[in-house]
Amino acid sequence: MLDSRLINTSEEARRDQIIGDSPAIRSVLDKVECVALTDATVLVRGETGTGKELIAHSIHNLSSRRERPFIKLNCAAIPFDLLESELFGHEKGAFTGAISQKIGRFEMADKGTLFLDEIGDIPLGLQPKLLRVLQEQEFERVGSGETHKLDVRLVAATHRNLEDMVKRNDFRSDLYYRLNVFPVELPPLRERREDIVPLMRHFVDMYGRRLRKSIEHIPPEIVSSFVSYSWPGNIRELQNLVERAVILSNDGVLHNPLHKAEVRTIASFSETLRDSERALLVETLESVGWVIAGPNGAAAKVGLARTTLLAKMKRLSISKRQRFGISNGREHTGAPHFTLA
């Protein structure tokens, strides 16, 4: 099993690190370990800043292609009229400004792995060509009729809801199904709060070395504020705030980059959200007689894997030994029994 706390320990390979030991991230890394040994296309999904590129690197580094190139491209960062050339390359004179032949990202990644970030931003006009590469493992450079064969493993990522895009005809259904061979869903940081402190300490150490500052003490109130914060920008936001905190730190004590009023508001909202989530889960469990697994179990009702639901129940202190209060106007006493099948 992968060590979810640290995949790679060298500073040079820092971008390949996956920090955390929560059930949510361990479930992700189990999937990574499983799919990395194959050549299957992987679709990594999650909010911005959750670490989708790190997962792509991990898949590549654990695969048989680890000695081959890892090439990446952010599809949202390339203008529409240049994206085809970036993906497939072009011949000299193919269009105005094409003063020489250019090799595209697919060709660069031959025998290796290509990571296409923000795949949901691929224009409809380019989607058939991408589908052909995935299905046939062949392509033509822009301005050329010569077909080139290649062997590329694709890892794609998006924060968009591709199913909704398919319904709106903004994304081809055949391409979606071809990409969604093996989906990996990354949890937002607010759903893996157990990992906030290890991540925080990791970035404090990293920026302390980089900025030549020795951080010897992290006050408990700062730890509490970090754990309570909702992290809308996920790990990327946490990393940036820790860097700011280290820059502002004096006398070896970490500065608190979060405003107290903001933390109080977020903490209050977090508690309200936790209470609402807990009440919903209890109501669902009661409606199915506390059956967890199976097609009619609670996990299927709320759209979670059995192990994920059990981890969530543990986090929310939902236990068969617990006395429950009012739900649907009924008072529940005693110890409800639940079963996994």
Side-chain angles (χ1 to χ4, degrees), residues 104-208:
R105 304 298 174 99
F106 269 101
E107 204 166 349
M108 293 179 189
D110 192 25
K111 303 296 189 298
T113 303
L114 176 63
F115 173 56
L116 293 183
D117 199 4
E118 301 299 350
I119 194 73
D121 287 70
I122 290 276
L124 274 171
L126 269 184
Q127 291 180 22
K129 295 185 178 182
L130 179 58
L131 179 63
R132 181 195 172 194
V133 175
L134 296 179
Q135 290 180 334
E136 309 296 335
Q137 291 280 290
E138 62 183 29
F139 72 101
E140 289 92 32
R141 299 191 192 112
V142 178
S144 172
E146 182 182 358
T147 298
H148 298 269
K149 300 291 290 186
L150 47 72
D151 172 20
V152 171
R153 198 266 181 83
L154 181 69
V155 179
T158 184
H159 72 281
R160 295 181 179 272
N161 189 320
L162 295 185
E163 293 88 346
D164 285 349
M165 293 182 68
V166 169
K167 292 176 183 177
R168 297 194 307 266
N169 295 318
D170 292 333
F171 202 87
R172 290 178 61 109
S173 60
D174 48 4
L175 177 57
Y176 165 70
Y177 293 124
R178 188 63 186 81
L179 290 170
N180 200 41
V181 174
F182 194 92
V184 175
E185 191 80 26
L186 289 186
L189 189 54
R190 62 183 174 274
E191 292 182 5
R192 41 178 295 214
R193 292 187 182 275
E194 308 99 309
D195 297 332
I196 290 176
V197 174
L199 283 163
M200 179 184 181
R201 295 187 184 280
H202 167 73
F203 290 128
V204 166
D205 290 343
M206 185 180 79
Y207 286 114

Side-chain angles (χ1 to χ4, degrees), residues 59-89:
I59 291 170
H60 174 74
N61 290 341
L62 290 168
S63 74
S64 60
R65 299 172 182 260
R66 66 180 67 89
E67 303 299 329
R68 299 291 185 168
F70 177 89
I71 305 296
K72 62 181 180 179
L73 177 68
N74 187 328
C75 300
I78 308 297
F80 171 81
D81 54 348
L82 297 179
L83 186 55
E84 182 177 7
S85 173
E86 284 293 330
L87 287 170
F88 307 116

Side-chain angles (χ1 to χ4, degrees), residues 260-323:
K260 291 183 179 179
E262 181 181 35
V263 172
R264 282 199 299 269
T265 301
I266 293 298
S268 176
F269 171 77
S270 177
E271 286 302 314
T272 301
L273 187 65
R274 175 188 171 94
D275 290 343
S276 299
E277 183 181 22
R278 184 179 180 281
L280 179 62
L281 279 181
V282 169
E283 183 175 348
T284 302
L285 285 160
E286 289 174 348
S287 71
V288 297
W290 291 84
V291 175
I292 301 294
N296 298 316
K301 292 283 186 182
V302 296
L304 296 174
R306 177 183 63 83
T307 52
T308 303
L309 176 57
L310 289 172
K312 189 178 288 288
M313 289 170 62
K314 181 178 180 181
R315 177 171 62 83
L316 295 173
S317 300
I318 299 174
S319 167
K320 65 181 180 180
R321 294 183 299 275
Q322 186 171 352
R323 177 188 176 93

Side-chain angles (χ1 to χ4, degrees), residues 48-51 189 192 199 203 233-240:
T48 299
T50 49
L189 189 54
R192 41 178 295 214
L199 283 163
F203 290 128
N234 293 294
I235 299 172
R236 185 177 297 128
E237 182 185 11
L238 186 150
Q239 180 177 351
N240 292 340

